[in-house]
Amino acid sequence: MDGSRADLPYGFGYPSDPDTFSHLFSKLAKKAGLGHWHPHELRHSGASLMLAQGTPLHVVSEVRGHASISITKDVYGQLLEGDKRAATEAISGALLGKLRPVAPQVAPEEAEETG
């Protein structure tokens, strides 16, 4: 070893090349039976999971590091449709005297209830 980057072991305390990491990540995902995944998709999955669990949009925006909440809304707005439905049901219930839960249903309708 002469100390050049080519002689250094991959990983283990040295910066990794983003393309190399991306290819390795994709290979590992395929090997695990997950299909083709790119590391950036983890960001989207994380944001989607936060919203599904009821994390406010402005918090997701801050965690994602977006310059404004409108960017987050543009990217993930379709996931908020359940929130709009829940808000409509909540106000209708309050006005008509029929209180309903406010949280949107996150699981698919055909999913088995656990309790």
Side-chain angles (χ1 to χ4, degrees):
M1 287 191 169
D2 64 9
S4 69
R5 291 280 303 163
D7 292 335
L8 298 176
Y10 177 73
F12 305 116
Y14 299 99
S16 62
D17 176 61
D19 289 334
T20 302
F21 176 78
S22 181
H23 292 300
L24 178 62
F25 183 85
S26 181
K27 283 182 185 180
L28 290 172
K30 286 179 185 175
K31 189 173 183 176
L34 301 174
H36 176 74
W37 271 70
H38 187 275
H40 192 77
E41 291 169 310
L42 294 174
R43 279 182 55 87
H44 292 298
S45 296
S48 298
L49 289 170
M50 284 189 279
L51 290 168
Q53 294 298 315
T55 305
L57 188 62
H58 73 279
V59 174
V60 175
S61 181
E62 289 176 21
V63 171
R64 298 275 58 88
H66 291 161
S68 73
I69 195 170
S70 64
I71 294 170
T72 313
K73 185 175 182 289
D74 288 348
V75 175
Y76 301 104
Q78 77 280 2
L79 300 176
L80 302 174
E81 292 303 317
D83 288 344
K84 292 176 188 174
R85 190 176 308 110
T88 301
E89 289 178 5
I91 193 68
S92 295
L95 292 173
L96 301 173
K98 300 175 185 176
L99 297 178
R100 295 184 177 162
V102 175
Q105 181 176 344
V106 175
E109 291 181 18
E110 63 272 4
E112 185 177 309
E113 291 195 31
T114 59

